[in-house]
Amino acid sequence: MTSEMDVERLTDWLWCLRTPIVQAYAVRQGEGFNLIDTSTPGNERAILEALGGGVTIHDIVLTHGHDDHIGSAAKLVEHTRARVLAPAGEVGFIQGEEAMPPPQFLEWEKPLFERVNPNVPKAPPVHVDVALEEGAMLDWDRPAVVVSAPGHTPGSTALLFEEEKVLVAGDAIASHEGEPMLGVFNSDPPLAVQSFRRLAELDVEVACFGHGDPVRSDARAKLARVAAQHSRSDESVEQP
Ligand SMILES: [Zn+2]
């Protein structure tokens, strides 16, 4: 199965790989790439073609163990021998050794989940070569710092490109009509809110997510506005 893969070059080094369901990201590394997430299962060829075909994939970072993020990782490793890095708290889920805790749905999320979930096939497990801890530094052409953002899943993690002021947040954050919002379908919603607040304190200009368009400018201020709404009352935050 191959779905359409739309490529958007957010910068000369960061590309967004979009299907109708989810976004993964490619980060330039020499003549090749590193990947952040791998879309739904069956997209390995679409991803490689989108990057130019025959390219080297050095590292694949999985932000968390959901099927729409780890989906094509196992096949990509087969094709490219890439190294897989993932948050220590997600390794058991990603390797298929532990069951992912289910989302604690807010009422408005239930119909959305019922609409989206049947379109996400189950991902094959993939071996994780490197377990990532908070603060770990990825020694890429553009170095990235591992920032823990649990709550969406127990070990959800974001990557911060400090120098470039770019955050790739996995599903800890999403966006709707250009505005950031708390990611949906969280296993621990209060913890997800705490993580959102932490991420909103980072000095970032651009923020990228698994779901919803990237915020291309002034991301810190936009995230801070949403974080402040959550501070007033977690229940009052409007749904998209
Ligand atoms: Zn997710």
Side-chain angles (χ1 to χ4, degrees), residues 13 20 25 38 62 99 110 125-126 132-133 158 169 198 204 207 227:
W13 61 273
Y25 294 87
T38 63
L62 301 170
K110 288 179 187 169
V126 59
L132 299 172
E133 304 281 356
R198 276 190 66 214
V204 291

Side-chain angles (χ1 to χ4, degrees), residues 40-64:
T40 46
N43 277 308
E44 57 279 355
R45 286 185 188 285
I47 289 172
L48 293 173
E49 278 164 27
L51 298 178
V55 292
T56 303
I57 307 293
H58 299 275
D59 287 347
I60 297 173
V61 172
L62 301 170
T63 59
H64 63 292

Side-chain angles (χ1 to χ4, degrees), residues 64 66 68-69 152-153 156 171 184-185 211:
H64 63 292
H66 279 159
D68 53 342
H69 293 254
H152 176 66
T153 64
S156 272
D171 287 352
V184 298
F185 311 154
H211 306 278

Side-chain angles (χ1 to χ4, degrees), residues 102-163:
Q104 303 298 310
F105 292 114
L106 304 177
E107 211 43 52
W108 68 265
E109 290 179 323
K110 288 179 187 169
L112 180 62
F113 186 79
E114 278 155 23
R115 205 164 64 235
V116 174
N117 195 48
N119 298 319
V120 180
K122 185 109 193 66
V126 59
H127 175 74
V128 176
D129 300 299
V130 180
L132 299 172
E133 304 281 356
E134 164 81 13
M137 180 69 75
L138 302 181
D139 185 20
W140 292 352
D141 287 351
R142 287 175 178 76
V145 187
V146 171
V147 182
S148 291
H152 176 66
T153 64
S156 272
T157 282
L159 289 186
L160 172 64
F161 296 86
E162 276 181 310
E163 186 82 6

